Amino acid sequence: MMEVKVVENIYLLVLVTLLSVLQNAFFALKVEKECKIHNTHTSAFERVSCASRNCMDAYATFLAVMWCAGLCLSQAPAAFAGLIYVVVRHKYFVGYMGQSCQSTPGFLFGKRILFFLLLMSMVGIFNYLLVCVCDNNYTGYLETITKAASALLLIP
Amino acid sequence: MMEVKVVENIYLLVLVTLLSVLQNAFFALKVEKECKIHNTHTSAFERVSCASRNCMDAYATFLAVMWCAGLCLSQAPAAFAGLIYVVVRHKYFVGYMGQSCQSTPGFLFGKRILFFLLLMSMVGIFNYLLVCVCDNNYTGYLETITKAASALLLIP
Amino acid sequence: MMEVKVVENIYLLVLVTLLSVLQNAFFALKVEKECKIHNTHTSAFERVSCASRNCMDAYATFLAVMWCAGLCLSQAPAAFAGLIYVVVRHKYFVGYMGQSCQSTPGFLFGKRILFFLLLMSMVGIFNYLLVCVCDNNYTGYLETITKAASALLLIP
């Protein structure tokens, strides 16, 4: 009961947050496209600084989408996806810092996880609207499906 | 009743958040001032990278102030202002990416919207303190006024 | 009662958030190490831009950890620590903008305050787990200790 009440108080905010997350993804894609053309990060400082900045730029987006997914639908799968994101981010950062002869990873990372969290938030909002309009509550089913789906994130 | 209880648990945090938002605005103004002197962003990568970074720098501030406004006073106007901010941000980014002969927009954007959200949060906190001290509850009036005021953001 | 319920709904999210905060600290330490080797920020624009970027990079981390500490354990000490952080950040920014002959401060700042907030969040989560498992509620004692400990942050 409490969850529905909480969602009632935040669902519009969550919707706008999701929209801004989508916008962030659009910006990031643009930067990545330009990044592929210009490839002049040579010194160690520039590489590590660039890697950190890329991670930090995505951090607020990640936090926003993880909290929205956790509050709107189900806590455990959102936290699990967040945990995997942290691991992926670590691997990205370490890979970026490596030798310059290695292929440096792109501007974006953890796209699949962020997309999963975004989808979870949308399903949560949709379920809330369904509860309001049709009085059909599929929250139990959705939580089971989400838990099963979050295990798929472990596939590399 | 529930709203007052929630605000009771977060109003100090919200106050500090607002203070840090003001500080962000101060930093951003400084950078803008220096930016006007040095104007050496020429290549497409540098322009798009700079635009994205400006947007990302303001993103955490925007999220913080939107959520504070939404939780402390009224959800719908805060979400509406957030929606307009996303639109303004998109226009800013596209304008920044345009031809270099165009006048590039400054460092800051959406100042009016962020100020509106900041004001909403402050009014919400003030209303909460009023409820505690004087037992006068103007929440209904404030919500009506805020809804009307948010329509003024549509004026370009 | 209500606090315990809220923590019940967010404690996994908080744990992952704390993990990502630790990761941010790891990245920041790396950048600081590289920063000490390369020291080529000479013009006023570069200095102010770098200072602002450092502050903004840490901003999402600060907000996340302050809200987690405030929601999981006790509101007033978290907000007080946040207030001190804002003051320290201001001093850092002003110091960074100063004459280049001055010793510029490092990449990181407010480490002690962020660590205090991180510790508060962890104690809050641990206390919640203790309430669930052993039915021992030390929340009152912990709040008193936290309030006393937050006063120690005033020592420069």
Side-chain angles (χ1 to χ4, degrees), chain B residues 1-121:
Chain B
M1 290 302 100
M2 192 214 166
E3 263 85 330
V4 172
K5 234 181 182 175
V6 169
V7 177
E8 195 178 355
N9 283 311
I10 57 165
Y11 81 98
L12 283 174
L13 297 169
V14 170
L15 275 179
V16 175
T17 304
L18 296 181
L19 198 62
S20 62
V21 164
L22 281 175
Q23 198 182 35
N24 279 342
F26 167 66
F27 292 173
L29 277 167
K30 288 279 172 190
V31 176
E32 186 172 41
K33 215 184 78 185
E34 294 289 338
C35 239
K36 272 177 189 155
I37 300 165
H38 295 257
N39 206 345
T40 57
H41 302 295
T42 46
S43 80
F45 170 63
E46 274 175 6
R47 269 209 313 285
V48 80
S49 165
C50 184
S52 170
R53 199 154 295 154
N54 290 348
C55 288
M56 286 301 170
D57 279 1
Y59 186 61
T61 306
F62 159 64
L63 276 186
V65 85
M66 188 184 75
W67 280 84
C68 289
L71 293 173
C72 290
L73 190 56
S74 180
Q75 187 190 183
F80 180 70
L83 197 70
I84 295 176
Y85 182 81
V86 169
V87 172
V88 168
R89 204 179 168 212
H90 189 87
K91 279 171 75 178
Y92 169 80
F93 190 72
V94 169
Y96 215 103
M97 275 167 54
Q99 298 300 317
S100 57
C101 52
Q102 278 188 311
S103 62
T104 52
F107 180 69
L108 288 169
F109 61 98
K111 283 176 249 196
R112 201 172 40 148
I113 299 158
L114 290 179
F115 181 72
F116 174 73
L117 287 169
L118 194 65
L119 206 71
M120 266 184 75
S121 310

Side-chain angles (χ1 to χ4, degrees), chain A residues 60-71:
Chain A
T61 306
F62 158 65
L63 276 186
V65 86
M66 188 184 73
W67 280 85
C68 289
L71 293 173

